[in-house]
């Protein structure tokens, strides 16, 4: 009976959270048309979420490209297909690794920050104060963060693609002694624009979903400091799982 009670409670909590996120989504859409956009706030969030994340994304991407080139070489070397390593690194980064890994980095860095910031504002009644003053919290707090994350994540994915391919090229030429001309030519011949646009579409969807989850967990926080910690943890876990789930369905849809 305790097991079924636990399953029931968790199911109800999950459905309640999904319903709350859906309602917040519609409130966000409504706020875009019913209230004046917070341009200054949006640019502040774009700088914090995007520009301040550039270095950690670049550092992660260069090592992802390097280790991918190494791993692919061991497989392709058996079939004499070493010249296809550059294309394989480029297409895997463009379609899958760059958007997913960049999104997960953003979850760790920004989703946790958004949830903690909004959660602190909620438990200290700053959100209630905005409502008393006639300011829409969704338009003032939620919309700039969602818009900024949705816009900046594709830009970060472009950086991740570029830096990751440079890392793969460096390992391929310097460590594996591949032909640099063949490495570059195979990328130019076989890579397709859809290999990159699919990744950018994924990044925009990931950014929107993770920001929506982070904002919901933040503004629905209860229980003081402990509640802020719980909301941050739930936001990170939920956003990470959502990125992987949406990644599969987007990949199945686009392929």
């Amino acid at each position: 009976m305790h097991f079924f009670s636990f399953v029931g409670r968790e199911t109800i909590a999950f459905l309640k959270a999904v319903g709350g996120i859906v309602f917040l989504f519609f409130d966000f859409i409504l706020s875009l048309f019913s209230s004046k956009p917070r341009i200054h706030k949006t640019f502040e969030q774009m700088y914090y979420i995007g520009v301040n994340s550039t270095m950690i994304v670049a550092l992660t991407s260069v090592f992802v490209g390097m280790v991918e080139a190494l791993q692919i070489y061991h497989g392709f070397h058996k079939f004499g297909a070493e010249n296809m390593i550059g294309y394989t690194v480029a297409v895997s980064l463009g379609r899958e690794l760059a958007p997913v890994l960049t999104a997960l980095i953003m979850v760790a860095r920004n989703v946790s920050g958004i949830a903690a910031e909004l959660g602190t504002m909620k438990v200290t009644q700053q959100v209630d104060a905005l409502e008393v003053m006639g300011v829409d919290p969704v338009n003032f707090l939620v919309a700039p963060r969602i818009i900024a994350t949705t816009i900046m994540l594709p830009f970060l994915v472009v950086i991740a693609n570029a830096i990751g391919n440079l890392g793969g090229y460096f390992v391929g030429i310097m460590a594996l002694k591949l032909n640099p001309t063949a490495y570059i030519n195979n990328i130019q011949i076989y890579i397709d624009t859809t290999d990159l646009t699919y990744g950018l579409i994924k990044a925009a969807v990931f950014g929107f979903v993770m920001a929506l989850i982070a904002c919901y967990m933040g503004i629905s926080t209860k229980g003081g400091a402990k509640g802020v910690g719980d909301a941050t943890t739930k936001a990170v876990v939920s956003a990470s799982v959502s990125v992987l789930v949406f990644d599969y369905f987007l990949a199945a849809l686009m392929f």
Side-chain angles (χ1 to χ4, degrees), residues 99-109 153 210 239-241 243-244:
V100 172
L101 292 179
T102 303
L104 293 177
I105 292 170
M106 297 292 284
V107 167
R109 186 187 184 278
L153 194 54
M210 69 172 67
S240 299
V241 173
V243 165
L244 299 177

Side-chain angles (χ1 to χ4, degrees), residues 1-55:
M1 293 302 296
H2 288 295
F3 170 76
F4 290 110
S5 177
F6 170 78
V7 172
R9 285 197 305 270
E10 292 300 315
T11 302
I12 292 173
F14 172 76
L15 294 176
K16 182 179 179 181
V18 171
I21 292 170
V22 171
F23 277 113
L24 181 61
F25 167 74
F26 286 113
D27 288 341
F28 163 73
I29 298 297
L30 184 63
S31 72
L32 296 179
F33 298 98
S34 62
S35 303
K36 181 180 178 181
R38 307 284 177 171
I39 304 297
H40 180 67
K41 287 284 185 182
T42 302
F43 276 104
E44 283 184 353
Q45 292 299 319
M46 288 173 68
Y47 179 83
Y48 171 75
I49 292 171
V51 177
N52 288 349
S53 302
T54 303
M55 288 304 298

Side-chain angles (χ1 to χ4, degrees), residues 143-163:
R145 288 166 172 80
I146 293 178
I147 294 171
T149 309
T150 305
I151 292 174
M152 293 309 296
L153 194 54
F155 284 101
L156 291 173
V157 168
V158 172
I159 295 173
N161 273 316
I163 301 298

Side-chain angles (χ1 to χ4, degrees), residues 7-200:
V7 172
R9 285 197 305 270
E10 292 300 315
T11 302
I12 292 173
F14 172 76
L15 294 176
K16 182 179 179 181
V18 171
I21 292 170
V22 171
F23 277 113
L24 181 61
F25 167 74
F26 286 113
D27 288 341
F28 163 73
I29 298 297
L30 184 63
S31 72
L32 296 179
F33 298 98
S34 62
S35 303
K36 181 180 178 181
R38 307 284 177 171
I39 304 297
H40 180 67
K41 287 284 185 182
T42 302
F43 276 104
E44 283 184 353
Q45 292 299 319
M46 288 173 68
Y47 179 83
Y48 171 75
I49 292 171
V51 177
N52 288 349
S53 302
T54 303
M55 288 304 298
I56 184 63
V57 169
L59 181 64
T60 304
S61 300
V62 68
F63 284 102
V64 169
M66 291 167 70
V67 74
E68 190 179 6
L70 282 175
Q71 297 291 351
I72 293 173
Y73 174 81
H74 290 295
F76 281 22
H77 180 67
K78 298 177 181 178
F79 305 97
E82 294 91 340
N83 288 335
M84 295 301 295
I85 290 176
Y87 163 73
T88 307
V89 171
V91 73
S92 59
L93 281 171
R95 282 182 174 267
E96 189 67 26
L97 291 178
V100 172
L101 292 179
T102 303
L104 293 177
I105 292 170
M106 297 292 284
V107 167
R109 186 187 184 278
N110 294 312
V111 166
S112 58
I114 292 172
E117 183 181 10
L118 295 184
T120 302
M121 296 179 69
K122 179 66 175 180
V123 299
T124 56
Q125 299 181 338
Q126 295 180 54
V127 176
D128 298 333
L130 288 174
E131 294 177 342
V132 170
M133 292 186 295
V135 178
D136 182 12
V138 175
N139 179 260
F140 189 77
L141 298 175
V142 174
R145 288 166 172 80
I146 293 178
I147 294 171
T149 309
T150 305
I151 292 174
M152 293 309 296
L153 194 54
F155 284 101
L156 291 173
V157 168
V158 172
I159 295 173
N161 273 316
I163 301 298
N165 278 291
L166 284 176
Y169 177 83
F170 176 79
V171 169
I173 305 308
M174 302 300 294
L176 304 177
K177 306 301 180 183
L178 300 178
N179 187 318
T181 303
Y183 191 100
I184 297 297
N185 286 344
N186 282 328
I187 295 177
Q188 295 174 338
I189 292 171
Y190 295 107
I191 200 73
D192 193 86
T193 54
T194 57
D195 296 327
L196 304 177
T197 55
Y198 284 172
L200 298 181

